[in-house]
């Protein structure tokens, strides 16, 4: 059993909390407004049928400090507020996508000279960032998981510069019901960004490999 520290209590953060609790992990969840605003969410998570882990709310720094595995699932504009020191040396999952209509124009992402996960990695220089969960809808995280070995089990992509960090994330993804496709380093995370073939649809590992191989840069679309 490990503790999943979640920074961001929106749809994806909540769904990952549910899936982790069902798989027997403990969860510490946070948002930008303070743990007292998460009372109802924590109560709902605690009442979830089949819950095997424990859950509580904390500050972002508290969730980061408690985490054996951390998740950052917030708008890109809030990345500078992610606590750095409590995440030092830890594996951090980045679920973020770039939506200019929400985030405003970000020159490096418009130029495709970097990716959202690389921006988070630059903010967390001593953490090990792994891209995951950015191409699946929140409801699908809890609805589409299946036991290992299930034919055509849905696959999720991961990208990261640290092999051991990726393996920790792969193990978590397997525990909550999904296969994985390794895209390689963080820089390859663009292959699963919005508007690419693998972004959104339910695909097994072979299908996801084909979709990510067929991905094109925005400038080439």
């Amino acid at each position: 059993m490990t503790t999943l520290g979640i920074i961001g209590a929106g749809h994806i953060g909540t769904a990952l909390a549910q899936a982790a609790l069902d798989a027997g992990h403990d969860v510490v969840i946070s948002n930008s407004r303070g743990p007292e605003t998460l009372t109802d969410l924590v109560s709902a998570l605690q009442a979830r049928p089949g819950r095997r882990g424990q859950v509580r709310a904390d500050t972002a720094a508290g969730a980061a400090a408690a985490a054996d595995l951390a998740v950052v699932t917030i708008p890109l504009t809030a990345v500078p507020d992610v606590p750095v020191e409590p995440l030092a040396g830890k594996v951090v999952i980045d679920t973020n996508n770039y939506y200019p209509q929400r985030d405003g124009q970000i020159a490096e992402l418009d130029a495709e000279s970097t990716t959202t996960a690389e921006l988070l990695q630059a903010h967390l220089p001593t953490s090990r960032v792994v891209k995951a969960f950015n191409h699946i809808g929140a409801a699908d995280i809890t609805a589409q998981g299946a036991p290992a070995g299930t034919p055509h089990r849905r696959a999720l992509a991961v990208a990261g510069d640290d092999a051991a960090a990726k393996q920790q994330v792969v193990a978590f993804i397997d525990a909550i019901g999904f296969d994985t496709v390794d895209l390689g380093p963080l820089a390859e995370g663009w292959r699963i960004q919005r508007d690419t073939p693998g972004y959104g649809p339910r695909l097994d590992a072979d299908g996801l490999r084909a979709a990510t191989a067929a991905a094109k840069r925005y400038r080439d679309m």
Side-chain angles (χ1 to χ4, degrees):
M1 180 183 294
T2 60
T3 296
L4 189 71
I6 302 177
I7 298 173
H11 296 307
I12 295 292
T14 298
L16 286 173
Q18 293 173 351
L21 289 167
D22 291 354
H25 298 284
D26 292 338
V27 171
V28 181
I29 194 165
S30 65
N31 64 9
S32 61
R33 294 176 295 141
E36 66 279 0
T37 67
L38 294 171
T39 300
D40 290 346
L41 175 59
V42 169
S43 295
L45 290 170
Q46 287 175 332
R48 182 174 174 81
R51 174 180 62 84
R52 296 165 54 206
Q54 301 300 314
V55 57
R56 63 181 176 87
D58 205 330
T59 62
D68 298 308
L69 176 64
V71 178
V72 172
T73 180
I74 57 176
L76 286 175
T77 54
V79 165
D81 299 326
V82 174
V84 177
E85 290 304 319
L87 292 171
K90 296 186 178 184
V91 178
V92 179
I93 298 173
D94 168 58
T95 78
N96 296 325
N97 287 297
Y98 174 42
Y99 301 112
Q101 67 272 26
R102 179 196 69 183
D103 304 317
Q105 301 298 140
I106 299 174
E108 305 99 306
L109 297 178
D110 288 337
E112 296 187 275
S113 61
T114 191
T115 63
T116 60
E118 288 173 291
L119 289 178
L120 182 61
Q121 182 66 83
H123 177 69
L124 301 172
T126 60
S127 301
R128 295 175 289 161
V129 174
V130 176
K131 188 71 177 183
F133 295 109
N134 70 302
H135 64 100
I136 182 172
D140 293 343
I141 291 174
T142 53
Q144 294 185 357
T150 299
H152 303 295
R153 190 189 197 203
R154 182 165 182 172
L156 302 179
V158 297
D161 296 334
D162 184 291
K166 279 193 287 189
Q167 189 53 48
Q168 185 174 342
V169 175
V170 166
F172 172 71
I173 291 173
D174 179 60
I176 66 170
F178 300 92
D179 287 342
T180 50
V181 170
D182 187 347
L183 300 181
L186 275 184
E188 288 296 296
W190 71 269
R191 291 185 176 278
I192 201 66
Q193 63 193 4
R194 72 174 202 280
D195 301 327
T196 55
Y199 180 84
R202 180 176 184 167
L203 299 170
D204 64 11
D206 287 341
L208 186 56
R209 288 188 193 97
T212 53
K216 294 181 179 180
R217 296 281 191 175
Y218 293 138
R219 59 180 174 266
D220 297 325
M221 289 181 179

